[in-house]
Every structure is written in structure tokens, then in C-alpha cells.
Amino acid sequence: NSVSSRSHAICTLTVTIAPLESSDGGSGSNNEEASSSSPRNHAMRAKLTLVDLAGSERIKRTGAEGARMKEGININKGLFVLGQVVSALSELGQSGKTSRSASSGNNTSHIPYRDSKLTRLLQDSLGGNSRTVMIACISPADSNVEESTNTLRYAERTRNIKNSAVR
């Protein structure tokens, strides 16, 4: 967002590691064991997603009006849907299922990834083949106790998400 500093920031880095090709077109190994089906001969792809979420906006507290109020409403809408996704995935984690195993079975609970652009972008990181780390920033100020408590509850739910990262 070039106009306002109040927005989410998402940076995704995709890294592909491919085997080196030798001059004869092979994979660089003369071993009979290194067949074309060997994992060493396939490219490995990794994706690192760094996310900085905007804080929730209290319209009464900020006194925002007009365009800034609409901006705050959109921020809150994305955070609300993200909270629904985290809650649904957390419930799966507490029942002992990973998000991948739950999506392949018949007894699935709906995960509302498509309800927001934010959750759609973070779908792989939240419930996919990934390892996810969350860092929660809270304030020690008395005026922010409610927001800090909500952030800690949110982090607790996020901690209950069980992903199974496989190569």
C-alpha cells in the first residue's frame, strides 16, 4: 500500500535447488545407483513467506473517518477471517489430525481460506506442507491490556496447529 502504513506486508521467496548437469547431459554422477528416479536428481523447491500483519483497528479508539475508516474495516475483515482459519486448524490440531490428513479424509471440517485475500495467500503456510513460526508482539502498556491478551490467545490457537512438512 503506497498511501498508508497501515496494511499487511507479505514477502514470499521461492528457492529452487536443481541438480548440476554434467557436460554429457547427465546428472553429474556416473553411479549406476543414481538413477533418474533418485531424489538427488530432482529439483527441490522451498518457499519462505514472511508476514507482518497490521494490528486490529478500533474505530472508536482511533477516531478514524472516511477512507481511513474503510481501510481499518478491511484490515479487521482480513484479521477476522484469518482468526477463523486459525481456529479451525487449531481444532484439527487438538483432535490429533494434521491439516493435510484432515483434507484428504471424508470427515472434513471447512477451513475458510477463500474468504479473504490474506488467508488465500497464506493457505500453504497455515495448513499446507510447511513449518510455520509465529512471533507475537504485545504491549506492556495498561491501555493495551485487552489487545495484548487477545494476541496471546491468538498465538495459543496458532501453536495448536499441526502441520506435517514432508520433502
Side-chain angles (χ1 to χ4, degrees), residues 49-121:
T49 304
L50 304 171
V51 181
D52 180 14
L53 297 174
S56 62
E57 297 289 320
R58 305 260 183 203
I59 304 299
K60 283 184 181 179
R61 188 172 173 191
T62 61
E65 295 177 346
R68 292 201 43 101
M69 184 174 78
K70 286 182 183 178
E71 189 176 74
I73 289 170
N74 286 331
I75 288 170
N76 289 343
K77 193 182 303 181
L79 291 173
F80 175 73
V81 174
L82 182 60
Q84 288 180 316
V85 168
V86 166
S87 291
L89 291 171
S90 177
E91 288 173 18
L92 286 176
Q94 287 179 335
S95 68
K97 296 180 182 178
T98 63
S99 55
R100 289 174 56 90
S101 67
S103 63
S104 63
N106 292 334
N107 187 13
T108 62
S109 59
H110 176 67
I111 311 294
Y113 292 117
R114 294 186 179 181
D115 293 354
S116 146
K117 290 178 187 177
L118 177 64
T119 53
R120 188 73 177 122
L121 287 169

